[in-house]
């Protein structure tokens, strides 16, 4: 299955052209293979694939299908591992899966990117603007 997912094969094999439908099927198969295991590497991989920026090839519908397959596979890998039990998903608790998925749905930046942009904005702000009233704030929207 991993031979059909370009993100999982080594860089020197990246010239292999795999159809996007085959990639989506391979990701779904990997989800079935790791079903209910709460496997950390697969969970990290699937989260990163869901959040990966689309390439510039313009094949949007194939990218959506692949991302949907990654989401379904992520659900299968972590099947019955959510909850408030002490041992439920203990190996992936630090990944903050729910927060990342909400950020992918709603939009926004990750913590490091937000800090970088905030520092950049603070550097570029005028000294007189920083001493002004806090009720007046800039409402810049950043897409991430």
């Amino acid at each position: 299955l991993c031979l059909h997912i370009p993100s999982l094969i080594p860089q020197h094999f990246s010239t292999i052209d795999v159809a996007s439908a085959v990639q989506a099927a391979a990701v779904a198969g990997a989800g079935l293979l790791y079903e209910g295991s709460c496997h950390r590497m697969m969970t990290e991989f699937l989260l990163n694939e869901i959040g990966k920026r689309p390439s510039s090839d313009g094949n949007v519908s194939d990218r959506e299908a692949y991302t949907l397959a990654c989401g379904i596979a992520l659900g299968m890998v972590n099947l019955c591992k959510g909850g408030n039990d002490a041992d439920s998903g203990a190996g992936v608790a630090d990944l903050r899966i729910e927060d990342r998925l909400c950020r992918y749905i709603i939009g926004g930046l990750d913590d490091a990117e937000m800090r970088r942009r905030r520092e950049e904005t603070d550097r570029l702000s005028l000294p007189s603007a920083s001493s002004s009233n806090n009720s007046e704030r800039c409402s810049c929207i950043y897409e991430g």
Side-chain angles (χ1 to χ4, degrees), residues 1-7 9 16 18-20 22-27 66:
L1 288 174
C2 292
L3 291 176
H4 300 295
I5 306 172
S7 299
I9 57 177
I16 298 173
V18 181
S20 58
V22 174
Q23 291 178 24
V27 166
Y66 180 73

Side-chain angles (χ1 to χ4, degrees), residues 18 36 46 70 81 87 92 105 115 139:
V18 181
L46 292 168
C70 288
K81 298 299 179 182
D87 61 339
V92 294
I105 292 169
R115 255 185 269 113
S139 59

Side-chain angles (χ1 to χ4, degrees), residues 9 18 51 56 59 72 81-82 88 98 106 111 126 133 137:
I9 57 177
V18 181
S56 61
N59 212 351
I72 292 170
K81 298 299 179 182
S88 291
E98 294 90 2
I106 296 169
D111 296 332
L126 298 172
N133 189 3
R137 294 190 179 178

Side-chain angles (χ1 to χ4, degrees), residues 8-140:
L8 288 178
I9 57 177
Q11 196 70 3
H12 60 278
F13 288 116
S14 64
T15 58
I16 298 173
D17 188 32
V18 181
S20 58
V22 174
Q23 291 178 24
V27 166
L32 285 171
L33 182 65
Y34 288 99
E35 182 179 356
S37 68
C38 201
H39 193 266
R40 184 178 176 88
M41 186 195 82
M42 285 306 293
T43 300
E44 285 183 59
F45 165 73
L46 292 168
L47 277 171
N48 290 334
E49 288 297 299
I50 291 170
K52 185 188 283 187
R53 295 185 185 275
S55 61
S56 61
D57 64 356
N59 212 351
V60 175
S61 62
D62 291 341
R63 175 66 191 159
E64 289 177 356
Y66 180 73
T67 304
L68 177 64
C70 288
I72 292 170
L74 178 66
M76 287 189 282
V77 169
N78 295 299
L79 191 65
C80 297
K81 298 299 179 182
N84 297 330
D85 299 342
D87 61 339
S88 291
V92 294
D94 63 323
L95 293 178
R96 300 182 351 243
I97 297 172
E98 294 90 2
D99 294 339
R100 288 178 68 181
L101 290 176
C102 284
R103 192 175 336 116
Y104 294 154
I105 292 169
I106 296 169
L109 304 171
D110 60 352
D111 296 332
E113 183 70 16
M114 284 179 65
R115 255 185 269 113
R116 185 187 66 77
R117 287 197 179 181
R118 191 176 308 124
E119 289 171 0
E120 181 179 301
T121 307
D122 289 344
R123 271 189 287 122
L124 298 175
S125 67
L126 298 172
S128 61
S130 63
S131 63
S132 66
N133 189 3
N134 283 341
S135 64
E136 296 178 356
R137 294 190 179 178
C138 179
S139 59
C140 295

